Amino acid sequence: MCGIVGYVGGRPALQIVLDGLRRLEYRGYDSAGIAVIDNSVILTEKKAGKLANLEKALVERAGDGISVGSTAIGHTRWATHGGPTDRNAHPHLSADGRVAVIHNGIIENFARLRAELEATSVEFVSDTDTECAAHLLAAEMRALREAGAGAGAEDGPQLLAEGMRRVVRRLEGAFTLLAVDVEVPDAVVAARRNSPLVVGRGDGENFLASDVSAFIEHTREAVELGQDQVVLITPAGIEITDFTGAPATGKEFHIDWDASAAEKGGYDYFMLKEIAEQPQAIADTLLGRLSERGEIVLDEVRLTDQDLRDVDKVFIVACGTSYHAGMVAKYAIEHWVRIPCEVELASEFRYRDPILDRSTLMIVISQSGETMDTLMALRHAKEQKARVLAICNTNGSTIPRESDAVLYTHGGPEIAVASTKAFVTQLVACYLIGLHLAQIRGVMYADEVAAVVSKLQATPDALRELLGGMEDVRALARDLRTASTILFIGRHVGFPVALEGALKLKELAYMHAEGFAAGELKHGPIALIDEGTPVVCVVPSPAGRGVLRDKVVSNIQEVRARGARTIVIAEEGDDAVRAYADHLIVVPRTPTLLAPLMTTVPLQILACEIAAARGHDVDQPRNLAKSVTVE
Ligand code: M6R
């Protein structure tokens, strides 16, 4: 979950790498560092804390000539091995200072390698696993040179690539590594195993990064590296091999969003921008998925209709917000498709020995496509011969690559750590998959599918209307900023919405918050209610599910009777609920199963505004990273 950037070319490398790091800071932000090659030296600077600390240090060093260079690598870190200190920040240098390495992932056999290196008198200066790779690469480069390889300057880059291949063959775990060698000034070498890496193809310059947002302002032509590949970039070109040195190819692609999509666009926070983008994100996710007759068309799903007819059980596996999307999907899939559907936390899934076989469909949901818990669950399912369908927002990431099929959500880049537009687009993807399964298994008639589809198509406009009237929610947030706890209750699909509301508040406002199934209150949690305790109540639509709605209203009365201050989210037209609401948030009418597309949104705004009112960094909350690539 670190961010990695590399550049080689004719322009000031330092600035290009710093700009790239700024765009990747969402991936990790507990320290940052750069290495620049210039005039036969590697200059490094690294600082604990956010990128701004590194930039400040660079400004202070300007006097002693930190160079702009033409080759540079940079790193923004989320600590795994070794605390977030200057010393542990990347890049890491070899003992002779001639090689610099940055790394995303975990080298699992680092303790053994470190012991081996220390036995040869190498002195470690950090607590990281990464430092091993720097020392190993320097040793391999020395050995290659001593063996007479690379005598001509033109062989330098090839030598560096071979050195890297020798190193990665010794590493276990997950890694993206980037390295530069002072004796090979116009090259950056990189390797990828189970960790993201893309190449940006420029004109007389090339780029490496954890994701394309780092270089999108310079080029929109990219190459996605496969697993276990090494790539060498020079101003003249890009060369890819596997770990043995055999020529290999990556997947070329054109990036169809532009740099402005990765900017804040006038909002105070990425999160607010991403909340506002939700109507468009939903519309984009529906785009091209519906035939003229209103039937579901899922082109990217490479499972045959017969495969999907053979499915007798669905598992949905995900983490965090994506897990909450999966919880909503369970209600829709079981209702529409009439097959059992279990929802599991990815981090728990494989440890309980789940029963899977060829007729199990596992749906993994991940915005980033890199979440290690989800990836490991996916691999476990594949070992058991289950078919895996990924719902993912990040093209070319590991989870969709390893799945049998993928349905991409077209949410665009989500930069804020708190997931917003990813959640609603995941819901849309789940609905599409549910309807598709129901359609091909013949359990819903075409007109029934078309009726749901037309309701889905109406949600972007409804959401725009909702977002236009959130002033009261903002005022409420300012009022709630000093609350010590906020509880959330809901039933049916309102239950995952309650969990999601609580998760948002915890991660952004650092407040105690909990979501409950409203019916469970009386079995314990109701004891938490005190005079004035804020309780957010998600009320189902009275249309069609009147019983459910009445039950939630009873639960609201129960908490009010014990002194709670109720914040009620209810559908427009449900006037009877006003009597039980200290604050009423009205959402547009939506069929019950689709309602989370509406009811979640005020909770996102509530959490964002409370966090801002409490003075927190909304986009980069403490202790978190956008992409969690460790188990
Ligand atoms: O990238 P993923 O969807 O796999 O991420 C899963 C969770 O880490 C993520 O949803 C997390 O819970 C969000 N930060 C919550 O807002």
Side-chain angles (χ1 to χ4, degrees), residues 11 16 25 63 84 139 153 199 257 267 276 330 336 343 371 381 388 430 435 468 474 480 500 509 514 554 604:
R11 292 193 285 155
I16 287 176
E25 216 187 352
V199 187
W257 43 275
Y267 289 90
K330 173 184 165 73
W336 289 332
V343 193
T371 301
V388 180
C430 290
L435 292 172
R474 292 194 173 90
L480 289 174
E500 177 61 7
E514 276 196 71
S554 302
Q604 297 168 344

Side-chain angles (χ1 to χ4, degrees), residues 318-323 365-371 374 399 414 416-420 422 426 500 503-504 507 624-628:
C319 303
T321 290
S322 302
Y323 170 72
I365 308 177
S366 175
Q367 186 284 132
S368 62
E370 300 293 346
T371 301
T374 310
I399 287 173
E414 192 179 68
V417 164
S419 216
T420 53
Q426 286 166 349
E500 177 61 7
L503 173 62
K504 283 287 157 290
E507 72 172 333
L624 293 173
K626 182 67 181 165
S627 172
V628 185

Side-chain angles (χ1 to χ4, degrees), residues 1 78-80 104-106 370-373 627-631:
M1 59 200 58
W78 190 83
T80 52
N104 175 28
I106 291 180
E370 300 293 346
T371 301
M372 189 53 83
D373 288 322
S627 172
V628 185
T629 52
V630 289
E631 272 187 283

Side-chain angles (χ1 to χ4, degrees), residues 591-609:
T592 304
L593 284 167
L594 310 189
L597 291 170
M598 301 295 139
T599 49
T600 313
V601 175
L603 303 185
Q604 297 168 344
I605 292 173
L606 192 71
C608 179
E609 297 289 346

Side-chain angles (χ1 to χ4, degrees), residues 390-542:
I391 293 174
C392 185
N393 193 41
T394 312
N395 216 292
S397 55
T398 309
I399 287 173
R401 282 173 68 94
E402 295 200 11
S403 298
D404 297 306
V406 50
L407 183 65
Y408 283 110
T409 51
H410 296 155
E414 192 179 68
I415 306 296
V417 164
S419 216
T420 53
K421 60 179 176 171
F423 178 73
V424 293
T425 55
Q426 286 166 349
L427 291 179
V428 170
C430 290
Y431 296 139
L432 290 174
I433 288 169
L435 292 172
H436 184 61
L437 285 171
Q439 185 179 298
I440 63 161
R441 293 166 71 96
V443 286
M444 272 173 96
Y445 291 113
D447 62 333
E448 293 173 307
V449 171
V452 182
V453 163
S454 81
K455 296 288 184 191
L456 265 177
Q457 286 170 319
T459 56
D461 281 345
L463 196 47
R464 274 184 203 105
E465 180 196 322
L466 175 64
L467 284 164
M470 286 286 99
E471 248 343 288
D472 286 355
V473 175
R474 292 194 173 90
L476 176 64
R478 290 190 286 276
D479 199 32
L480 289 174
R481 75 184 185 287
T482 52
S484 56
T485 184
I486 300 184
L487 306 179
F488 296 74
I489 60 171
R491 278 180 190 251
H492 190 260
V493 291
F495 172 39
V497 170
L499 294 176
E500 177 61 7
L503 173 62
K504 283 287 157 290
L505 202 59
K506 282 182 256 201
E507 72 172 333
L508 295 174
Y510 319 152
M511 282 168 77
H512 176 253
E514 276 196 71
F516 300 105
E520 274 296 292
L521 278 183
K522 56 188 176 294
H523 299 290
I526 200 159
L528 290 167
I529 312 285
D530 212 341
E531 200 55 40
T533 304
V535 181
V536 178
C537 314
V538 184
V539 181
S541 165

